Amino acid sequence: MKTTKLCGRCEALPEKIEGGGRLFVWLPLGHSFNKVINFFLRHAGESCQVVGERQCVLTAEDEADVKSIAASLCEQLTGEEIKDTNVLFVAGTGEPQFADFARMTNLKQFAAMSQAGWLVEMLAESRVTSHFQPIVYAAEPSRVFAQEALLRGIETDGSLVSPGRILDLCRDADLLFQVDLLARRTAVRLAGHHKIDSKIFINFNPTAIYDPTFCLRSTVRAIDEAGIQASSIVFEVTESDRSQDENHLQRILEYYRNAGFGVALDDVGSGYSSLNLIHKLRPDYIKLDMDLIRDIHKDECKAVIAAKLFEMAQSLNIKTVAEGVETIEELEWVTRHGADFVQGYFIAKPAAHPITHPFVPVTTRPQFDSEWMQTPQDGLPAASSQMEAAQLEAV
């Protein structure tokens, strides 16, 4: 039987920093070195040892001491000095061996990694899940077009960890490859488990992919094993996670397209590069950033920008999703100006079980009619107070 080796970059996890040891530190400048040495000689005494012109060794007695030393180093240095300071942690009291230097990293990454023990454990135990948020037809918002899979971590007590907390730390601790892969696999597995019969939007980070042919094999295999048609999957890349190498991003998206998947560009309107990426990447969908949609009916500048994006996308045969819709006025505005689909708390919040029949309040405004209104659920008021009821229902 043919076996596939684990990818050392995406699937192998670093060792947690446990116990005491010695932290070897190389400072970028003499000025940086003097700041660090003066601080630690005053506060650490014998635990600080000067080795070379810009090198020192700091002794940590336990894991808490490692975290404290890393934090103190960061406090003494500027942001650029932190990035240019190299560190190597060696457990125990021994000298570093040649093989140890492969683990050398910069201070910013080491400081984050010293705080990331809980995240390494979470990844090792696959304690992550996906919540699903519906994307609905703008002209018929009670009808679901797709479900977007959104990452959530799981604490040992079963409580949820926000994606922001995970992603902020994993970027600094160089765990983005492992988090991105596990998030993709989990989204696919749970989509198959829930038997989602609509489109499925899955986020991915292009900077967490070296070579699409190699790095995305396991994701494609998971989709096949879940029995999901390739045409049902839409991979979306966000503005904040776009690779600076546009050629690399194009290769990734070409790989997805050739495999039969759809492609979406997220957060359009939030950054300067959006328009260039639209014509270079030719996505199937663009998702207008929630900050652009927020209070769009009150802001003339936002309204002009969004209207032009809707118009341009329609001319290019690109479908549009208005994100972050939270009020009836926002929903009405984006629908009136040509949005194909909408997504946001006004429709439904992310949930562990996909919401297939979102409750959307009726509006008396003339551009919409009564076909929008579903039969109110038990206990929910109708007509004049349905808007407030819908907000409660979404929670």
Side-chain angles (χ1 to χ4, degrees):
M1 181 177 67
K2 183 178 179 181
T3 58
T4 303
K5 294 183 178 180
L6 293 179
C7 172
R9 191 67 180 91
C10 297
E11 301 182 71
L13 291 170
E15 295 181 3
K16 286 176 55 182
I17 298 174
E18 296 180 312
R22 307 174 78 200
L23 188 64
F24 294 81
V25 184
W26 290 264
L27 283 304
L29 299 170
H31 173 69
S32 312
F33 177 77
N34 290 335
K35 285 195 293 185
V36 168
I37 290 300
N38 289 336
F39 174 82
F40 280 100
L41 286 179
R42 288 197 309 270
H43 295 85
E46 295 180 357
S47 67
C48 177
Q49 177 185 355
V50 177
V51 177
E53 181 181 351
R54 286 184 287 175
Q55 181 187 356
C56 63
V57 181
L58 301 166
T59 302
E61 296 182 359
D62 52 33
E63 183 179 349
D65 209 14
V66 174
K67 295 180 181 179
S68 176
I69 289 174
S72 295
L73 281 169
C74 290
E75 290 174 358
Q76 303 310 307
L77 302 172
T78 67
E80 290 302 312
E81 287 175 320
I82 291 171
K83 288 192 297 184
D84 291 340
T85 295
N86 292 320
V87 298
L88 174 64
F89 178 74
V90 178
T93 59
E95 295 294 321
Q97 303 300 307
F98 181 76
D100 291 326
F101 285 92
R103 297 185 291 103
M104 182 184 292
T105 185
N106 65 46
L107 176 58
K108 181 179 181 180
Q109 181 179 322
F110 179 81
M113 190 61 210
S114 70
Q115 303 289 333
W118 65 270
L119 180 56
V120 174
E121 288 182 356
M122 182 180 291
L123 295 172
E125 298 169 9
S126 297
R127 283 190 282 108
V128 301
T129 188
S130 290
H131 279 197
F132 295 90
Q133 186 177 31
I135 298 171
V136 302
Y137 289 86
E140 194 178 350
S142 60
R143 180 182 168 207
V144 172
F145 167 71
Q147 300 282 350
E148 180 177 359
L150 299 164
L151 172 68
R152 299 289 186 270
I154 304 174
E155 295 278 19
T156 53
D157 64 1
S159 60
L160 295 179
V161 182
S162 70
R165 183 183 171 200
I166 295 172
L167 294 173
D168 288 345
L169 181 57
C170 80
R171 288 186 178 95
D172 289 341
D174 196 28
L175 292 169
L176 185 59
F177 283 79
Q178 294 89 338
V179 168
D180 196 70
L181 176 61
L182 183 56
R184 277 181 270 132
R185 286 178 173 173
T186 301
V188 169
R189 177 176 58 81
L190 290 177
H193 171 75
H194 291 300
K195 296 181 171 55
I196 295 176
D197 57 4
S198 62
K199 297 279 188 182
I200 304 159
F201 279 57
I202 298 176
N203 294 280
F204 81 99
N205 192 314
T207 58
I209 297 170
Y210 275 142
D211 178 352
T213 304
F214 179 76
C215 295
L216 298 175
R217 291 184 304 183
S218 61
T219 303
V220 174
R221 184 167 61 248
I223 291 169
D224 292 338
E225 291 173 352
I228 300 173
Q229 295 293 319
S231 58
S232 296
I233 300 290
V234 178
F235 285 102
E236 67 174 80
V237 55
T238 65
E239 172 83 27
S240 60
D241 291 331
R242 290 169 195 162
S243 172
Q244 293 182 353
D245 183 352
E246 292 181 359
N247 291 329
H248 176 61
L249 181 54
Q250 283 182 304
R251 287 193 295 272
I252 295 171
L253 298 187
E254 285 173 7
Y255 177 88
Y256 278 140
R257 282 201 183 92
N258 291 337
F261 305 118
V263 171
L265 201 56
D266 198 8
D267 295 341
V268 171
S270 67
Y272 69 91
S273 62
S274 297
L275 292 179
N276 280 336
L277 285 177
I278 289 173
H279 87 79
K280 289 181 179 179
L281 303 179
R282 306 294 173 90
D284 303 294
Y285 307 87
I286 59 172
K287 301 182 74 177
L288 275 65
D289 181 65
M290 63 176 62
D291 287 337
L292 181 62
I293 300 302
R294 184 74 65 251
D295 291 329
I296 194 166
H297 57 290
K298 301 177 183 177
D299 191 318
E300 184 178 354
C301 183
K302 288 183 176 182
V304 170
I305 294 170
K308 292 300 181 183
L309 287 171
F310 287 134
E311 181 183 344
M312 176 193 64
Q314 188 174 22
S315 299
L316 296 173
N317 198 29
I318 297 173
K319 298 298 183 182
T320 53
V321 182
E323 293 187 287
V325 171
E326 294 191 355
T327 67
I328 188 68
E329 292 82 7
E330 292 167 358
L331 176 59
E332 290 175 343
W333 192 97
V334 298
T335 303
R336 188 165 61 248
H337 288 81
D340 294 296
F341 310 106
V342 295
Q343 179 180 17
Y345 283 8
F346 188 70
I347 307 300
K349 289 185 176 181
H353 296 279
I355 297 170
T356 55
H357 296 88
F359 176 82
V360 181
V362 66
T363 173
T364 58
R365 296 177 185 265
Q367 62 267 35
F368 299 112
D369 57 39
S370 59
E371 291 181 359
W372 276 28
M373 184 174 64
Q374 293 182 289
T375 301
Q377 298 182 15
D378 293 342
L380 291 177
S384 61
S385 59
Q386 274 198 343
M387 189 180 303
E388 292 84 354
Q391 298 294 342
L392 293 173
E393 180 67 11
V395 177

